[in-house]
Amino acid sequence: MKRGQCAGILRLRPVRARVGPDLQQGILLQPHTCRCPGRELRHLWGGLRRTSTRGLFFGTIGDKLGRKWVLLTTIAIMGGASTLVGVLPTYEQAGLWAPALLVLLRLLQGFGAGAEQAGATVLMAEYAPVRRRGFFAALPFIGIQAGTLLAAGVFVYLGTLPTEVLLAGVWRIPFLASILLIGVAVFIRMRLRESPTFITLEKQDQVAESPLREVFRGSFPSVLRGIGLRMAENGGSYIFSTLAVSFVVTTVGVGTWIGPLAVAVGSLVGMVTVPFAGHLSDRFGRVPVYRFGAAVLLVLAFPGWWLLSLGNPVIVIIVISVAIGLGVNTMLGAQCALLPEMFGNQHRYLGVATSREFSAILAGGIAPVLGAFLIGASGGAWWPLAIYVFILAAITFATTFVTPETRGRDLTLLNDALFDSAVQVETRPEHMVSHKEFLARVGS
């Protein structure tokens, strides 16, 4: 396999400072040719296996000390690690210390990133006006889409530079420039007030002594539903932004620049669909909007992968953009309010973080590795990957039928939405409680 064929894989999701094989020659190892995408996908899986630790750690702190403190800590860890990648020594300068330092910084990035997203979702949901909670809770994820779009654009440009110029030091510029974004983020968060629902807990002396015990003892059914909801969203995101591009580059043979461009277009679409899906969830409910996003991937699974196998660059961009921009991000837009509303106030941060991080292992972590195995085992056939996407989408689609509607829920309640009484449902803002939902609660 040619070195260039691997580049598309590692230049995806560059928002977390992923380093491509051309840069590895200057930073990590002695000059060599990249052997296969499977190795790099296994590195991705190795990083995701540690997401459960970070979710449990920061989730517990967020429920005991407050949301704001955790968000300041995670942005400092994640942003500082990203910036420091830009000052790493090369292999010629530091020998094996170079790859060791890069691995350490990547671990720090991953340690902060997962709790960062869970915290932003919880904080915005708790701050937002109840009738527009879905829309406002989705807004932080526009930043993620914009960051992915910006980073993908930068890495597309870097991919056009001669290797000698890239390794001469140009690769350091994006990482060093990230300190400006981190400075703005820290400034904004320093001015934030603590979440009003957490302040309510403190005033009533109801802060949980052991959020972890409460989540696994009383909220396990809610966590399982959260994981099921995330299988298509998180798994689909990784499959179409890493595995699909690996497939079309290494198996089908399209140009390496197609991948970052497709992801960039998908992120551009996502900047619209994420808040719009959040808005729709305020009008029609979280669950119906989420179910629609899962249905998109369910319907797209077989025709989408067949179209990818044709190798037409335009079709590749359209399929990946629709899968990420419409399917994945519609679910994400509804999820931003749905997950926080599913959990009680005492353990909300940990409940959301646990659902997100364990699903990241089961869906996002396994997806690239298992997908790479399926590509090799089937001789490059597209249909095993289509079956894989179909199964993930089917799991999420089915989960929406056992997930309670949470639109307009009182976030100061200590119990999970799954255990809301008819009275608690009835007291939600009038236009936010469907007749069907109310009758179902009364009947139970």
Side-chain angles (χ1 to χ4, degrees):
M1 183 178 296
K2 297 180 180 179
R3 182 182 66 200
Q5 289 179 321
C6 294
I9 302 165
L10 300 185
R11 288 172 185 164
L12 305 177
R13 294 194 176 270
V15 69
R16 292 193 193 172
R18 187 148 296 145
V19 181
D22 286 338
L23 301 188
Q24 288 182 16
Q25 291 190 30
I27 303 173
L28 278 176
L29 305 171
Q30 298 181 22
H32 70 285
T33 299
C34 180
R35 297 174 184 175
C36 67
R39 169 179 294 184
E40 305 303 341
L41 292 174
R42 285 193 296 272
H43 290 325
L44 177 62
W45 159 241
L48 284 168
R49 284 183 302 178
R50 289 175 282 274
T51 60
S52 59
T53 303
R54 72 190 183 195
L56 297 178
F57 177 77
F58 283 115
T60 300
I61 293 178
D63 282 325
K64 289 179 69 68
L65 302 181
R67 324 318 191 192
K68 176 182 176 180
W69 187 91
V70 173
L71 285 174
L72 281 170
T73 303
T74 55
I75 193 65
I77 293 175
M78 185 176 63
S82 297
T83 301
L84 289 175
V85 170
V87 298
L88 282 175
T90 64
Y91 180 88
E92 288 74 16
Q93 294 170 333
L96 292 178
W97 280 106
L101 289 172
L102 180 58
V103 169
L104 175 61
L105 293 178
R106 287 288 294 122
L107 288 174
L108 289 174
Q109 282 180 319
F111 194 63
E116 167 80 9
Q117 294 178 13
T121 298
V122 170
L123 187 66
M124 284 300 293
E126 292 178 336
Y127 257 115
V130 63
R131 296 179 188 274
R132 301 197 66 195
R133 184 183 292 153
F135 173 74
F136 281 105
L139 291 182
F141 283 82
I142 297 180
I144 294 178
Q145 304 298 327
T148 302
L149 178 63
L150 175 62
V154 170
F155 273 70
V156 167
Y157 171 72
L158 292 179
T160 65
L161 298 176
T163 303
E164 312 79 59
V165 175
L166 190 65
L167 298 182
V170 173
W171 67 268
R172 298 181 184 271
I173 296 176
F175 299 103
L176 294 174
S178 67
I179 194 173
L180 301 176
L181 297 177
I182 302 305
V184 172
V186 170
F187 175 76
I188 293 174
R189 294 180 187 197
M190 288 292 292
R191 297 171 65 88
L192 279 176
R193 296 179 181 179
E194 184 52 80
S195 159
T197 61
F198 186 79
I199 292 176
T200 300
L201 283 178
E202 290 184 316
K203 288 181 177 179
Q204 298 177 357
D205 197 23
Q206 293 178 326
V207 176
E209 294 183 4
S210 180
L212 184 62
R213 184 177 60 222
E214 290 191 12
V215 164
F216 284 97
R217 179 177 295 177
S219 295
F220 195 63
S222 298
V223 170
L224 288 179
R225 284 166 172 79
I227 292 173
L229 290 171
R230 290 257 298 162
M231 293 302 286
E233 180 267 317
N234 187 256
S237 177
Y238 275 92
I239 286 173
F240 283 101
S241 63
T242 58
L243 183 60
V245 177
S246 172
F247 174 76
V248 297
V249 170
T250 61
T251 303
V252 180
V254 303
T256 56
W257 59 273
I258 295 296
L261 180 59
V263 173
V265 173
S267 298
L268 185 62
V269 175
M271 292 177 68
V272 177
T273 55
V274 169
F276 185 62
H279 167 70
L280 290 178
S281 75
D282 285 330
R283 294 199 59 186
F284 304 106
R286 319 294 186 214
V287 174
V289 175
Y290 209 110
R291 187 176 297 148
F292 172 79
V296 170
L297 289 190
L298 200 64
V299 172
L300 185 65
F302 284 95
W305 279 96
W306 174 74
L307 289 171
L308 290 176
S309 71
L310 299 180
N312 185 299
V314 175
I315 293 178
V316 167
I317 293 173
I318 292 175
V319 170
I320 293 178
S321 299
V322 170
I324 296 176
L326 184 59
V328 170
N329 285 321
T330 295
M331 289 183 281
L332 180 60
Q335 179 192 118
C336 294
L338 175 57
L339 284 185
E341 289 172 335
M342 285 174 60
F343 293 94
N345 197 16
Q346 288 182 314
H347 51 270
R348 177 170 296 118
Y349 199 136
L350 182 57
V352 173
T354 302
S355 299
R356 288 184 57 86
E357 305 308 337
F358 277 93
S359 62
I361 298 173
L362 297 174
I366 294 177
V369 181
L370 180 57
F373 169 78
L374 292 175
I375 291 175
S378 64
W382 60 269
W383 57 266
L385 301 174
I387 294 175
Y388 187 27
V389 172
F390 186 87
I391 291 174
L392 291 178
I395 291 173
T396 294
F397 189 77
T399 303
T400 62
F401 289 95
V402 294
T403 300
E405 179 56 62
T406 62
R407 180 179 52 155
R409 187 170 187 264
D410 182 359
L411 294 186
T412 63
L413 294 174
L414 302 184
N415 60 282
D416 289 357
L418 194 61
F419 308 112
D420 276 355
S421 66
V423 174
Q424 289 171 331
V425 174
E426 187 180 17
T427 55
R428 294 179 188 175
E430 183 177 351
H431 80 283
M432 289 191 160
V433 183
S434 69
H435 183 63
K436 178 180 178 181
E437 173 73 7
F438 176 65
L439 289 180
R441 294 297 182 182
V442 172
S444 62

